[in-house]
Amino acid sequence: MTMIKTCPPYDPATHRPVPDAFDEMPDGAGGVELVQRIEPIPLAEVRAARKEALAALRWERECSGITMPDGSFIATDDRSKTLLNGKYRTAEKYPERLHRWKGPEGEVTLTSGQVIAIGDAVSDYVQACFDRELDLIADIDAAETAVAVWAVDIATGWP
């Protein structure tokens, strides 16, 4: 009698089943079992998967917003950054202007200096997110095995 085992135990982060590839193994009862072969996932594929997860995490962090020293929350999604960039340019051009802005708590009036400070803080935050991602990419690229790639901690150290 032939039994089919789908796969021996393996770590799906570093190995995968080979489609339609089986080895015959005695089952100890006079029969044969077919055991699906597994193969290591190429290091380049493991790195690419880890970098894809890293990019998604950076995007999530980048768009999560910041809290200013005065406790006010500033959104950092793409639309908010675009609007802030336009307001920043206006603030640079007209330093004496007051700017009405809609915040999470309602309307606020900001000086041009405040708009510039907010824009600088958002820019610094976004850059820090990209810097963290680039540092982690370097760690992933330096890892010499799939296990080492997965050991790179992409979840911590974010601004």
Side-chain angles (χ1 to χ4, degrees), residues 60-130:
E60 181 182 311
R61 296 296 306 171
E62 175 190 343
C63 295
S64 67
I66 63 171
T67 301
M68 296 295 290
D70 69 358
S72 60
F73 177 79
I74 307 297
T76 58
D77 58 273
D78 281 350
R79 182 170 191 276
S80 296
K81 289 182 289 192
T82 299
L83 292 170
L84 181 57
N85 189 46
K87 189 60 73 175
Y88 188 102
R89 299 269 301 138
T90 301
E92 284 181 315
K93 220 171 158 181
Y94 305 103
E96 301 305 316
R97 183 178 283 180
L98 295 177
H99 308 268
R100 293 174 68 194
W101 196 261
K102 182 181 175 188
E105 305 296 320
E107 183 180 328
V108 294
T109 301
L110 302 170
T111 65
S112 287
Q114 288 172 310
V115 169
I116 290 170
I118 291 167
D120 289 343
V122 168
S123 179
D124 291 347
Y125 172 75
V126 169
Q127 185 60 56
C129 288
F130 277 96

Side-chain angles (χ1 to χ4, degrees):
M1 178 167 150
T2 302
M3 295 178 47
I4 298 177
K5 285 190 173 178
T6 54
C7 292
Y10 68 98
D11 182 350
T14 58
H15 289 76
R16 63 182 169 211
V18 179
D20 301 319
F22 296 89
D23 292 317
E24 289 187 5
M25 305 289 285
D27 67 2
V32 175
E33 43 183 28
L34 296 178
V35 179
Q36 188 170 20
R37 289 185 199 154
I38 59 168
E39 67 182 359
I41 299 172
L43 185 56
E45 287 182 37
V46 175
R47 284 182 176 145
R50 196 68 169 145
K51 289 177 187 179
E52 185 177 325
L54 173 58
L57 183 56
R58 190 259 315 136
W59 174 255
E60 181 182 311
R61 296 296 306 171
E62 175 190 343
C63 295
S64 67
I66 63 171
T67 301
M68 296 295 290
D70 69 358
S72 60
F73 177 79
I74 307 297
T76 58
D77 58 273
D78 281 350
R79 182 170 191 276
S80 296
K81 289 182 289 192
T82 299
L83 292 170
L84 181 57
N85 189 46
K87 189 60 73 175
Y88 188 102
R89 299 269 301 138
T90 301
E92 284 181 315
K93 220 171 158 181
Y94 305 103
E96 301 305 316
R97 183 178 283 180
L98 295 177
H99 308 268
R100 293 174 68 194
W101 196 261
K102 182 181 175 188
E105 305 296 320
E107 183 180 328
V108 294
T109 301
L110 302 170
T111 65
S112 287
Q114 288 172 310
V115 169
I116 290 170
I118 291 167
D120 289 343
V122 168
S123 179
D124 291 347
Y125 172 75
V126 169
Q127 185 60 56
C129 288
F130 277 96
D131 290 346
R132 179 67 181 144
E133 180 185 21
L134 292 169
D135 290 344
L136 290 168
I137 287 171
D139 291 346
I140 289 167
D141 286 340
E144 295 182 5
T145 66
V147 171
V149 168
W150 287 107
V152 173
D153 182 4
I154 66 171
T156 60
W158 292 94

